[in-house]
Structure formats: C-alpha cells, structure tokens
Amino acid sequence: MNLGACADVAGELRRLVADHPLHERLWSLLMLALAGAGQQAAALDAYGIIRGRLAGELGAEPGPDLRDAHLAVLQQRGVPATLPVTPAQLPRAATGFRGRHAELLALDRLLLSGDGPRLVVIAGTAGAGKSELATQWAHRVREKFPDGQLYADLHDTCGPASVLARFLRALGVPAQQIPPDVIEATTLYRSVLAEKSVLCLVDNVTDAADVRPLLPAASSCAVVVTSRNRLDGLVAIEGAHRITLDVLPPVDAVAVLTAAIGAERPAEEPTATAELAEMCARLPLALRIVGAQIRHRAGRRVTDHLADMRSHGVLNSLTVDGDTSAVRAAYDLSYQALDSATRRTFRLLGLVPGGDITPDAAGALTGAPTAAITRRLERLAFAHLVQEHAPNRYRLHDLLRHYAAERAQTENDSEAATQALLEYYLAYADAAADLLYSPMLRLPGPRSHPDAFADRDAARAWLGTEFLNLVAAIRHAHARNNPVLVCRLVDALRGYCMSNWSVEGPELARIGLESANATGRPDLCAVAHNHLAASHALRCDFPPAIRHFEAALQLYRALRSRRGMTAVLNNLAGLHLTTGDLDRATTAFAEAIALEAAPHPWRQLNLGLLHEHRGDLTKAAAIYTQQVADNPCALVLLARVGVRVGDYVAARHAAEEAAEQARRINDRSAEAAALTVLSTVHAGVGNHAGAVQLAETALESAAGPTAEAAGYAALAAGHLAGGQYRLALLNAHHVLHLTGRLGTRFEECEALLQLAHIHRAAGSWAEADHYFGAALRIAEFHGYRGLAGRALGRAARTS
C-alpha cells in the first residue's frame, strides 16, 4: 500500500478510536496504518496511549492483537519499501566554468556539513552566473546525495503546484495519487523525502512563497535556490544561508573569456583580453556572449572587437549595481552580428508563450521553411542566444527572452507571427485529437492539417511533448482576449486532459467556458459546459458536473443538435449510474437512444453497466460481447461479469486479451483496469501471491480515484485468499473510505460486502452481520438487485 493510502486509513481510524477508546483491534489497525504511512514514532506513541489506558482503567495488559501490531512496528514489517526511483534532473553543466572558488567552498561548508538548515540562496544581479555556479556545484557533489537530484526552473512553471507534481512523479508517486491542493501535495512530498538524501536545485525564484512548498523537511536533504532577489523571507524565517555573487575577480573573468574565445587569440593579446573582460563588467554571461562572437569570426582580433565596443559606447552601459544594461549591451553585440533573417527569428522567439519550441513551430512563427529555420536556430544556439536543451527543442534564457521581446516590440509583424504560431498549435492539436479521441463530442470545423501524423502513436507522442506549450498557448490567447481560438484549443485538448489526468485539465475547462461565454455563441458554450461537466465528473465532483451537463443539454436543445443532445444525455446517464440513481440513468438512456441514428459504443457500455448494477448479468454480458472488437474497456467489463458469476476461465481469457490490447495502443489506464480484474481472477482460484502482485502493479498506474478503489479492492481480495485478514481489512476499509467519500454507491456497496466476507472468514460473526446489513440497505435503496441478493444470501449463512 502507498503512503497516501495508509495516511487516509490512519485518519479514519483515529476518529474511530476517539469514539471507542478501549477497542484494542481498532488501536492495532491504527498502529499498522501509521507505520504503513511511514510514521513509526506515531505508531509507537499510539501503543503507549492504549497500553496506559488499559492499565489505568481496566488493570489489564495489551492483548495479542496489540502485541502483534507493536512487534510489527518495531520490526518495520508492512512498511512500504521506497520505490527504486532515483531522479537525476540536473541540467547539463556548462563547459568553460572558471573561478568562484570561495563560493564553491562556502556551498560545501553550508550544505555538506549537516549542521543547521541545509538551505542556501544564491543571489545576485542578472548575468552574475548564479545558475551556473549552482549547477556546477551540484554536479560535483551529486554522489553525496544517493537518492537523487531534483531541478526546477520557476520561470518555466506556473507556480509550486506544477513543480510539486513533477517532483513527486520523479520520486515515483503515480500521477493520479498526487493531490491537486498545494498543502496536501507539500505534505506528501515531505513524507516521501523524509528518509532520503536528495539535492534540490530551484532556479530563478522571484518570491519566497513560491519555493517554500518545495523545501524538504528532512535534514538529510539539501536545497540550493537561485534568485535575482535577496529572498529575505527565506533567510529570516527558514534560516537560509545567503551567498551573494558579485562580478568575477579580474583573473577569473579573463579565464572565462579565454575559455569562450579559445586560448590562441587571448594568448596573443593578453592586454586587450583583460580590457575586454573589464568592458564586460566581468559578468559571466556577458563574457560568454562576447567570447562566442569573437570565436565565431575567425579573422576577428580581440583588439578589433574591443575597438568596436568602445565605438558603440558600451563602456558606459556596462554597470552592475541593479542594472541589466551590461547584459543588454552584450546581447546587442550578438544580435547585430546576425543576418537579418536570423535577427527576425530571434525577435519572434521572445514572443513564444511556451517554455520551448521546435523547428516546425518556429517555422510557423516566422513563416520560414523548416530547413531555413533550423539553420537560423543553429546560428542562435552557437551565439548562445538560444539553447538546444533537448534534440530539436530550443528555449531562451529568461533575460534573452525579455531582450528579444523588447526588440520585437519595434516591429510590426509580431501580432501576426504569434497568431500564426497559435494556429499551428491548433491545427496539429486538432489532427491529433481526431486520431486519438474521435468518439468524443468535438466542435465541428475544417481541419487544416488532417494528415499531420502518420499514425496514432505519432499523434500521442506529439501531444505528450507539446502539451505544456499548448497550455501556455491557451493562457496566452485567453489573456489577450482571443476567445474563439481558446475554445478551439481547449476543445482539441479535452481528450488528452481526461485520458491522462493532467493537473491543468480543470483549469483549461474553466478557461474554455469563460471564453465561450465571452463569444456569446451557444455552440461554443454548449461544448464548454459539456467539457467542464466531464472534468468534474472524472474527479467524482458530481453536483457541478450535473449542473454543467444540464446547461449543455439545454443549449443543445435550443440549437436542435441531435448529436449534441445525444452525447450529453449519455454523459448524464453515466453520471447518474455512477451515483446510484438508476431511474434517472434509465430515463436519460431512453431519451438518448430515441435521438441516436446508430448506437454509440460508449453509450452501449454504460447501458451494460446499468444492467450489471440491476443484477441482470446476462444482458450486461451480451452488450459487452458486442463491443469487444478492439475495445479493451469492453473486454474488462466482460471479464468482470465472468468473475461475478464465478466463470474464472472466461474471465481470465477476457482480462488477458484486454491487457494485451491496451498495451498495443499504450493505454495504461485500460491496462491497469484489466490487471485489476485479472487479480480478482487469481484470488478467486486461490493464487494469493499472483493476485497481490497483479493488484499492486495495477495500482501503480491506476488513473483516478475509482480505479484506485478497484485496485485496493482487488488487493484486499488477494490478501483474503491468502488468509491475511488484517491486511485484507486494512485495504477493504480504504476502499470503503474512498467510495463513501466519492459517492460511488455501487462500489461502496461492494466494499461493504467485501468487509463482511473478510470478517466472516476471520470468524468475526457480529462484524460480518453489521456489514452485510449495511450493504443490504444500500442495495435495496438504489435497486442493486444482484448485490441485495448476495447480501441476503451471505447474511443468512452467518445466522
């Protein structure tokens, strides 16, 4: 079980022991849950509390359950092993680094000694080499942090939430288990790092509040923060040490310049080289840019370059006291050395809303052919005006981005260029969505690049690498009041956001509705309401989902769109099915069927679920069987019916085929669902070890809370098959907590039945009767006839 699951169970058990202060079994379960969440000290404290109460109030010693739990905590049995994930996220260390010896020694002393807070802020003016120093030091000492290195550039992110999500994924936490709330994500992050030795480098911080959630609590970890600001709050409140970078000493500045130019020319002109270093204010960034310019021009002498700088009046502008003019002057020199086409490319790159850009996208931005734009990007990379941080992916340093944007403001083609880039993103996102998510209700309209991708795999890869840039494009268009483009981009990304559980999905759905409302167009508003409703429903936030589905339905009725009405009615029916309102689900299905020209595959699956929930497994299986061709979800549902009727041979065949289909199309969510059912098959035939292993594998990639609940139910079944009643109960209680919180009534009823079955197997007849009764009440209220029959039959056998 993962840390978050154990923590949830522990919270529930704390409330139970508060109501039953002398209940030894509850206290033993609480101890095991705390230990499973990595809180061994709290588990031992709990043992001390109940032992004291038993002695003081009853004059008794702890019973066998408590003693066993105490021994398990002491021996750390059942504590989840740390996932074997070792992140190595440090950016590449630049060649030609020189100097900063005192600062490197200070970093060693402050961060490797283990005394006091292992947190350092490297502050200084723009271009002083803060990031370079931090990266160089981090690479030198990374072996002293065996559990890995984390890196984030806060300039490229939208706040600590996205950085926390990325860090947690790098540390092995599945994406669907990362809380969207910053406080909860911070708690999980610090829990994961509690026993680790990790180095965390956070670059380009502008505000202390942005970095606080990223600070580990463990003294075994170290954090280096770079900022142009002093970040007094981190120093005063968090106890951070601060290293302030000044300009380089003259000898080191010459060494940096020599490394940038190449040794031959500086050796021939040592005086001019020293003067040039002073002309650059001994700022590492300015030194590197000037050195690259000279190196690029084979016949250029240092003396000639120095004369040109003087003639342009650069000396007066190269100051460092809070002024970035030194960097701007150095950029001017590199900029003027470019040909006119490359200069225009550089200017326009300053307008790119995302973190990086490919040659194809840059071609759309500039209107240049891919071959020409690739050559220009190579020239810019050579002159250190862009960085190729990954193959065929280019980005600008933040100062360069500002400089380029300033240059672009003097031209009259900036707005048209940005619009061309956004339309490029829309065309390719549309093409990818048409390939991957064709059954979804989408905005109609012409597609400018319908053949953009060779196959579904290519489309899926493009969306994965460009997703954050597409999100930035949507935010950019929204901020600049381009609502129609926003609506179309959000519509194109809907399928990806929902199938990949992206953190940004709910935000994009809200932006889409805001933009649709701004247009006043009912067709755009209808799609946006449906999208936002689906986003809420995916996260089991049912009341707003119903409101927005009903708003979409009303708009589609006014538009007389049969396709729109059908899609929303099917969505509403599925939602009512999930919440246990089978009558309203039946009504919505009937209305959708009356409007449909042909049966929709997803509606058919939901209709099968309706029969399954009502206990008519024969009808459900017939519907699933009709949909199994190239549909792993239908196979999963068919396998689940096989488990319900005890036909484990057929269930295993369908589940294995579903897993294979899911792997072929790289659908990890469907694969996890197939493995979950396959786990229950193994549990049903008594293969305890195989069932547990499959359930744990499924949980690693379970997408969403309902899939998580199914995974833990399978894990409980596996432990029950092996006679491990305590573990089975722990997992089953977690399922009950999840399903009760989510409001998924059918699954909640099944969880109650599972708990009853576990208690009966363990010989706890009274507890079994309690859970059978609770399950029966839910089943009868919601019309779950099959589950009601199971509850009555099982309860009768315990009487």
Side-chain angles (χ1 to χ4, degrees), residues 636-715:
V636 168
L637 294 173
L638 186 61
R640 194 171 66 183
V641 170
V643 171
R644 293 193 194 285
V645 300
D647 188 351
Y648 294 115
V649 174
R652 179 170 184 167
H653 174 75
E656 288 177 345
E657 187 177 348
E660 180 59 30
Q661 283 190 16
R663 290 187 197 104
R664 281 202 303 268
I665 63 174
N666 196 30
D667 188 337
R668 296 190 65 192
S669 176
E671 183 183 358
L675 294 178
T676 297
V677 179
L678 196 57
S679 170
T680 62
V681 170
H682 282 273
V685 298
N687 182 5
H688 153 67
V692 169
Q693 182 180 5
L694 284 165
E696 289 175 343
T697 303
L699 279 167
E700 290 175 4
S701 54
T706 54
E708 182 185 354
Y712 279 108
L715 192 58

Side-chain angles (χ1 to χ4, degrees), residues 237-276:
I237 299 174
E238 311 295 337
H241 302 283
R242 182 164 52 215
I243 297 175
T244 302
L245 292 192
D246 200 351
V247 297
L248 288 167
V251 173
D252 291 339
V254 168
V256 170
L257 190 54
T258 299
I261 298 172
E264 183 177 352
R265 279 175 281 184
E268 293 173 352
E269 303 173 87
T271 302
T273 301
E275 290 180 17
L276 185 57

Side-chain angles (χ1 to χ4, degrees), residues 720 723 725 754-765 768 772 798:
L720 175 60
Y725 303 131
Q754 186 176 48
L755 280 165
H757 187 54
I758 296 168
H759 278 296
R760 192 188 66 170
S764 303
W765 308 110
F772 278 130
T798 62

Side-chain angles (χ1 to χ4, degrees), residues 19 106 244 280 373 400 439 660:
D19 295 334
T244 302
C280 293
I373 200 67
L400 283 165
E660 180 59 30

Side-chain angles (χ1 to χ4, degrees), residues 422 426 443 473-492 508 510-516:
L422 297 180
L426 174 59
L443 281 171
I474 290 169
R475 291 171 176 150
H476 176 91
H478 182 55
R480 284 155 182 77
N481 195 27
N482 194 345
V484 174
L485 183 61
V486 169
C487 290
R488 298 199 70 89
L489 276 168
V490 170
D491 178 63
L508 297 187
R510 288 192 297 271
I511 287 176
L513 183 56
E514 287 177 19
S515 298

